[in-house]
Structures are given as C-alpha cells and as structure tokens.
Amino acid sequence: MTIHEIRTKYLKFFEERGHVVIPSASLLPENDPTTLFTGSGMQPMVPYLLGEAHPQGVRLADSQKCFRSQDIEEVGDNRHTTFFEMLGNWSLGDYFKEEQIPWMFEFLTQTIGLDPQNLYVTVFRGNAQISKDEEAVGIWKKVFSDVGIEALDVDFSERDGMQGGRIFYYDETKNWWSRSGTPDKMPVGEPGGPDSEMFWDFGMDLGIHERSEFKDLPCHVNCDCGRFLEIGNNVFMEYKKTEDGFERLPQKNVDFGGGLIRIAAALNGNPDIFAVDAFQTAKEALESLSSASYESSPEITRSMRVILDHVCAATFLIGDDVFPSNKDQGYFVRRLIRRAVRFGKKLGIDTAFVSEIGSLYIREYQKDYVHLKQKEDRILEELAREEEKFSKTLLKGEREFEKMFSQKGKISGEDAFILYSTYGFPIELSEEMAEEQGQHVDRTIFMEEFRKHQDLSRSGSTQKFAGGLADHSDATVKLHTATHMLHQALRTVLGEHVEQKGSNITSDRLRFDFSHAEKMTQEQIQAVEDLVNQQIEKDLLVHFEMLSLEQAKERGAIGLFEDKYSELGDQIKVYFIGDEATGGSYSKEVCGGPHVEHTGILGHFKISKEESASSGVRRIKAVLE
Ligand code: SER
C-alpha cells in the first residue's frame, strides 16, 4: 500500500466517524514562540486542547507535516527522518478511550490489514499523582480478545523482557506525553497526559535483535534494536500543569499521532522506512547518479538515507517559505542542503543533484500537497543555489588542501583548522582527502586549535554583544541584565526584525543599537519601559546554561550564533531571565555574562533617549533609577 492510500484511508475512516478533515498547518508554527518548527501534529491544536472552541468542531483529523531538527544527526539508521507526516485525530472534549482504542485497532487491523498478532501496546504505570491506566488496559484486552488473542498485561522490566505480555506498563519517561516531555519538565499551564503507544513487531525471523548490539539483553517493545517500531501514540490529554502538580483540563481530549511512513513500513514488513514508496524514485536517481546500489554497503546505505531525508525536508521547508540563511529556521534548511551535498560527495556524485532529487519529491507529493507544485520553480532554484554556493566553498577548500599537501607532503591538525576557519572546509573532508593519500589528520590537534580560536572569538563576541561592558561593577552588571530585557521588550513591541547592532554599558547608563527603520513613538517607548519594569517587579531568576547551538536555537535563544561551529557540536552559553520550568523565560540570549541573579534588584528602568544611530538603526540610552 502506498502512503497516499494509507493517508486517504485514514482520513476517510475518521471522516466516517464524524471528524472534519483539516489541511496540514505550515511547518512554521503560527503564533507559537515556544518552538521553531511544527514538530508534531498536536502543536497547532494546543489552544483547542486547552479549551478554546475550534471553528470546525470537536472531532478533527489530519495528516500534519512535521520537522524535527533535533533528529538531524540521527538520520542514517533505518527509522529516523527529520521530515515526516503525522496522521492525527483529535477529540476536543468529545469521545475518549472507549472510542479511540477500538477505532485505532479497527483501522490498523481491518482497514489497512495489519496482523493483530504483531501488535503490542504500552500504557502508563501511574505515579504519585496520577493513577495507573487500568481503563485503557481493560479496553485493549477486550479488542484483542475479540480477535482471539489473550492479551496479558505485565509490568515492564528491563531484565525480564517480554514475559509473554502484550500490554506493558511503563513510567512517565515513556508513557506520558506533553510538548515538553515528562511531568516535571512541563511549564505551568502546559497540557499533557498519559498515553498508550502501539508497536509493530517485525518478527523474530528477520533476526534483527540477534544481529544488533543489544543481542545479549532480552528484547522488548522499546528496545533500540529496531525489531519493534512505534507506529502510533494515543494521548489521553486531560491534565494541565499547575504550580504544585496537576489539575484536570476543562475537557478530556484525545490526541492521536501516527507516523505515516512507519505505518507503511509495518505494512511492507520491511523495517527500513526508506523502502516506502515515497522514496523510491529519488532513491533510484541517487543510485544512477552514484552508480552504486542502495544496499551495496552500510556506508552507502547511510549516505543515501541522509540525502533522501534531507532533500525531502528541505523541499517541504522551502515550500513553506523557509529559505536557506544563517538565521533562525533558515539555518536548518542551509544545514540540510549542505549535509546532503557532503553525503553526495561521499557517494562520489560530482555533479549538482539536489534540485533534481527535490523535483522528484515534488512529483511524488504534488497530488497531496498542491502548493509544492505551485512553488516548484522557487523551490528548485533555492535548492540549486545553495548547493552551488556550498560546492564553491568545497572546491576552494580542496584546492587549498592540495596546495598545502604538495608543499608539505601531509596535512596537520593545524592545517586542517586553517582550511576550516578560512575556507569553511569541513574537517571530515580534510580527513577523507588525507586518507586518499594514505595520510591521517590529527583530530586532537584540530580540536585544540578550534578551542583556542573559539576562546578568542568568544571574548571578542562577549565584548561586542554583551555590550562592551566598561567594567564589572554592580551598576554595570545590572544595566547589562536590563539590556537583555530591553532587547526582548523591543522585539515584543516593535517586532522580530529587531536585532542587536551594538551595545555599550557604563555604570551610569546603557546604550543599545538595534535594527528598526523608524523613530519610535512615545507610546512605543512607554510600552517598552512598562514591559521591562514588569519583569523587574516579577523578580525573575537569572541563570545560564551551556547548550549546543541546536539546543539554543530550539529553545528560541536570540543573539549571536556562530554557525560555522555548529557541526562540531560545541557548547555556547545562553542566559535565561525567568525560569522555563515555572512559567517561561522572559528573555533567552546567547551571551558571555555577567548578569545579576534576580531582576528584583534592578530598580526602575527608564529610557532617557531614543535617536537614530545610522541608517536603519536606532539607538536607545536608558538608566536604572
Ligand atoms: N502528540 C503525540 C505525539 O506527537 C500524539 O499526537 O506523539
């Protein structure tokens, strides 16, 4: 069955059960500052899960485009992609477990014909506040028993594995769902609830567990060997986080999400999700471009999977108007395309190929996503342009590599760093080219150089961006924290185009330059002052965390991002004003510090001057009284 057929059958199934089928929302979340991308089907539903009335009613279904940037590095195995479609159905205070579980079972086993013998489920074990989900267990037992399967429920234990069970109890790390994860990580006001996940067993015959690195441990549904694949999750979303625990939402919701290509993989009986029909024409094109078959070696399979996923994701992202750049969401599109080009090189492809693969995806998906066809020219142009830009970088780097190599007969860690810092030439490519010459690049030396350079540029950036602090006196540090809040308040009042262009702080005043074309009105100045003073009065805690670039971006930090460091997974310092765990941070900014520990000590914030700094840049001077 093709993914088109599965998607159509799913939507029809729920339409017949009173659901309105709604179109997929954009990959760029609307009015949701908590995240950069739509990463699950429920994200656009949050206001309605919390009780707002949805214009289309209380039963909804869709197939939602999703992108998970945090999975970029995971891609390459047989079950991860950054882009995927999530089938979803929602009850907004209407039906609950009694309907959802039998419907899901019917859809999977009858409508699309998965063998119930290969289905396993998990349920919430309960914790101090919320009880064990015996209700869901009872319903699962009944649906299995209706098809002649006696479903035993067992408490999952790592040591004992399956224990002959079909229904497994897990704790909140596995069977609780909220956008922020486990109950303790949820900010106040966030909805969540216990869930019941469904797994497909590819069976013992394929020997998946036995051939994996986990072979010495007992296998189980959540085992990382890949024998079991999670194909869907029924979230029973009836709770909301409060200051000291949970309260019931005004309504009991169902939030179901199922991975479309994963369901197709289960139907194929092939644990490799890249064997699903949507990837086939692109895969064949890659095989012919590289004159290698997908299966020829684990390395080739992995490289092809990375390209297959990344180009598909980039195609859909550009289709939602996210263009390659160094900033915000655009950065991820750039990264996807560049990684695809690099993996293309590994496959020995030496012509431009990214837009060709993109066009195959457009052809594949245009029936269900008309906008891709409408925007085809622009999408292909962006893919080709980014590939060309990066190819030029690579070419320059290669030439320099060869020059250095012919002079010295080798490439040291320092040389590799020069190639990297001057030409943007990735370390992996220096390593590969050296290996072709029977040589080896010392990565330890490379990393040392990298760190040295980073320390230097950090102190530089601290000066430039933490505002050229005149000193670290109390008054200066207070104004520094006020500068972060001012930055955020300007973005709130004037818009997200506001970016720091310069900062200079003495113990008497702060001076902050930012991108904004017009003079601020008196009302805008007042609104910014009020916002900052409100945050001061809240006495918010200030803390920093060391995060990877990826994490910092995911969490919505603003400020300086040095994207050429990103590939190395290095850590940057991000200051948070206000704790995310208790009501959200007011400001999150990449910065070297120092800052005050809590905002209450700042006093009263006052803007003393607003003037032009240069074309398109305004300057604010402000004091703490
Ligand atoms: N919210 C759940 C998930 O993303 C089900 O839709 O898995």
Side-chain angles (χ1 to χ4, degrees):
M1 218 180 277
T2 63
I3 61 164
H4 173 78
E5 285 167 315
I6 299 170
R7 191 196 296 110
T8 310
K9 280 182 197 282
Y10 173 83
L11 296 174
K12 182 159 167 279
F13 182 94
F14 280 95
E15 198 169 25
E16 284 165 4
R17 284 154 187 79
H19 291 65
V20 175
V21 174
I22 55 173
S24 170
S26 167
L27 285 164
L28 275 183
E30 266 172 48
N31 306 322
D32 183 353
T34 60
T35 172
L36 283 177
F37 296 103
T38 304
S40 69
M42 64 77 79
Q43 231 162 272
M45 297 290 166
V46 172
Y48 313 108
L49 294 164
L50 286 168
E52 198 178 301
H54 193 285
Q56 310 269 34
V58 292
R59 294 185 180 200
L60 306 169
D62 71 6
S63 182
Q64 172 65 47
K65 296 172 278 185
C66 298
F67 175 68
R68 292 193 177 165
S69 60
Q70 59 277 32
D71 282 349
I72 287 186
E73 310 271 345
E74 304 270 346
V75 180
D77 67 8
N78 66 355
R79 58 188 180 283
H80 279 94
T81 54
T82 57
F83 171 82
F84 57 93
E85 279 180 80
M86 196 182 267
L87 299 176
N89 66 271
W90 288 273
S91 156
L92 302 171
D94 189 23
Y95 59 87
F96 207 45
K97 299 177 194 178
E98 279 290 343
E99 292 83 359
Q100 177 63 17
I101 293 175
W103 280 345
M104 240 334 116
F105 193 76
E106 181 184 345
F107 172 72
L108 293 176
T109 60
Q110 287 176 32
T111 312
I112 59 172
L114 286 173
D115 185 346
Q117 285 294 354
N118 291 33
L119 274 182
Y120 290 80
V121 301
T122 60
V123 291
F124 186 46
R125 172 185 283 169
N127 62 17
Q129 285 165 320
I130 291 158
S131 54
K132 185 169 180 168
D133 197 352
E134 275 162 357
E135 192 188 350
V137 173
I139 306 168
W140 280 121
K141 286 193 168 205
K142 162 127 195 0
V143 295
F144 275 109
S145 133
D146 288 348
V147 295
I149 297 173
E150 193 197 337
L152 191 68
D153 56 316
V154 295
D155 233 334
F156 170 71
S157 110
E158 195 81 45
R159 194 194 53 221
D160 301 320
M162 305 283 291
Q163 307 160 75
R166 186 159 297 267
I167 303 170
F168 300 91
Y169 297 98
Y170 280 86
D171 66 10
E172 56 217 19
T173 59
K174 293 281 185 210
N175 283 91
W176 178 273
W177 206 92
S178 81
R179 285 182 301 176
S180 9
T182 47
D184 55 313
K185 298 227 177 66
M186 292 165 68
V188 171
E190 183 69 16
D195 67 34
S196 182
E197 301 186 342
M198 305 177 302
F199 291 81
W200 176 255
D201 179 8
F202 284 101
M204 306 260 278
D205 295 350
L206 299 178
I208 298 171
H209 185 76
E210 292 65 29
R211 279 188 279 108
S212 78
E213 58 184 296
F214 307 96
K215 61 178 186 304
D216 297 330
L217 300 164
C219 192
H220 53 88
V221 293
N222 274 308
C223 178
D224 283 325
C225 73
R227 172 179 154 193
F228 292 91
L229 183 67
E230 186 203 329
I231 54 173
N233 187 7
N234 305 279
V235 185
F236 304 117
M237 201 170 264
E238 53 173 326
Y239 297 100
K240 180 161 125 181
K241 182 81 182 259
T242 59
E243 290 287 349
D244 45 13
F246 285 94
E247 66 184 23
R248 299 234 180 222
L249 285 166
Q251 62 193 37
K252 285 184 178 180
N253 305 297
V254 173
D255 156 29
F256 170 77
L260 177 58
I261 43 176
R262 289 184 167 204
I263 294 174
L267 273 168
N268 282 346
N270 185 342
D272 183 2
I273 58 172
F274 293 93
V276 161
D277 64 292
F279 293 113
Q280 294 326 298
T281 48
K283 189 194 284 175
E284 281 158 23
L286 280 182
E287 288 184 316
S288 98
L289 279 161
S290 64
S291 315
S293 90
Y294 175 73
E295 309 265 351
S296 36
S297 76
E299 244 340 282
I300 288 180
T301 309
R302 181 172 131 77
S303 298
M304 288 197 184
R305 284 172 177 161
V306 170
I307 299 172
L308 289 172
D309 168 68
H310 286 12
V311 179
C312 185
T315 302
F316 271 93
L317 283 164
I318 299 172
D320 278 348
D321 300 328
V322 191
F323 304 114
S325 78
N326 274 341
K327 279 196 345 206
D328 305 329
Q329 287 97 334
Y331 161 81
F332 291 97
V333 185
R334 167 155 290 167
R335 179 135 189 247
L336 289 166
I337 299 171
R338 293 187 169 204
R339 284 193 99 222
V341 172
R342 269 175 50 199
F343 280 86
K345 274 187 85 63
K346 276 190 205 243
L347 289 174
I349 302 177
D350 47 20
T351 52
F353 67 96
V354 175
S355 82
E356 179 186 337
I357 303 294
S359 75
L360 296 173
Y361 281 124
I362 295 176
R363 202 188 302 160
E364 191 61 46
Y365 279 99
Q366 61 191 8
K367 203 164 24 169
D368 301 298
Y369 292 100
V370 185
H371 72 289
L372 289 180
K373 186 70 194 160
Q374 287 159 350
K375 295 184 183 176
E376 181 166 19
D377 292 347
R378 177 77 195 261
I379 296 173
L380 300 184
E381 199 182 292
E382 293 285 346
L383 290 174
R385 188 180 315 144
E386 186 62 28
E387 175 171 26
E388 194 190 320
K389 241 194 220 165
F390 188 52
S391 301
K392 279 196 188 136
T393 303
L394 292 182
L395 204 65
K396 222 187 265 160
E398 274 168 15
R399 270 202 223 111
E400 286 306 314
F401 179 102
E402 273 151 18
K403 225 193 270 167
M404 280 181 175
F405 195 85
S406 67
Q407 280 164 9
K408 305 184 185 172
K410 65 174 191 120
I411 293 289
S412 66
E414 285 99 341
D415 296 332
F417 182 73
I418 292 172
L419 287 170
Y420 168 71
S421 58
T422 320
Y423 303 99
F425 196 61
I427 171 74
E428 292 82 0
L429 292 187
S430 284
E431 285 175 333
E432 273 164 33
M433 287 180 71
E435 260 159 45
E436 279 164 22
Q437 309 285 343
Q439 296 273 345
H440 175 74
V441 177
D442 191 333
R443 211 183 239 250
T444 329
I445 306 268
F446 173 88
M447 287 309 293
E448 268 169 28
E449 287 297 309
F450 176 79
R451 285 207 190 91
K452 264 193 245 162
H453 177 86
Q454 196 179 29
D455 285 345
L456 277 179
S457 81
R458 250 204 210 125
S459 30
S461 70
T462 309
Q463 264 196 355
K464 185 159 149 231
F465 280 86
L469 260 57
D471 53 54
H472 285 184
S473 71
D474 239 28
T476 307
V477 173
K478 282 181 189 166
L479 281 160
H480 185 200
T481 305
T483 302
H484 277 219
M485 293 196 284
L486 167 65
H487 188 179
Q488 182 53 47
L490 286 167
R491 286 168 70 93
T492 309
V493 173
L494 303 177
E496 304 267 296
H497 61 276
V498 168
E499 274 176 22
Q500 176 163 338
K501 291 290 171 201
S503 170
N504 174 287
I505 303 171
T506 68
S507 55
D508 300 324
R509 55 108 186 99
L510 67 83
R511 194 181 79 198
F512 186 72
D513 295 350
F514 58 99
S515 46
H516 183 61
E518 299 115 46
K519 185 168 176 51
M520 286 173 72
T521 65
Q522 207 42 51
E523 290 73 36
Q524 287 170 334
I525 292 178
Q526 189 64 50
V528 169
E529 271 182 2
D530 289 349
L531 264 175
V532 174
N533 282 316
Q534 279 160 21
Q535 308 313 316
I536 294 176
E537 274 154 35
K538 283 190 200 158
D539 196 16
L540 301 171
L541 288 177
V542 181
H543 78 285
F544 71 83
E545 290 175 40
M546 299 304 295
L547 300 175
S548 71
L549 187 88
E550 219 88 290
Q551 290 165 329
K553 283 182 185 251
E554 261 303 315
R555 285 172 66 179
I558 56 173
L560 172 76
F561 286 105
E562 288 163 283
D563 67 325
K564 60 178 170 178
Y565 296 142
S566 63
E567 297 276 327
L568 291 150
D570 214 72
Q571 304 274 299
I572 50 179
K573 195 171 184 180
V574 178
Y575 268 90
F576 294 81
I577 303 182
D579 192 353
E580 278 188 302
T582 56
S585 299
Y586 181 67
S587 146
K588 309 172 207 181
E589 189 165 341
V590 178
C591 173
H595 285 278
V596 302
E597 283 174 9
H598 58 110
T599 60
I601 58 168
L602 294 188
H604 185 80
F605 174 82
K606 175 123 198 68
I607 294 179
S608 47
K609 199 167 198 147
E610 193 275 342
E611 62 190 359
S612 165
S614 64
S615 152
V617 178
R618 306 293 301 175
R619 167 168 294 175
I620 278 182
K621 287 187 186 156
V623 294
L624 288 169
E625 298 170 336

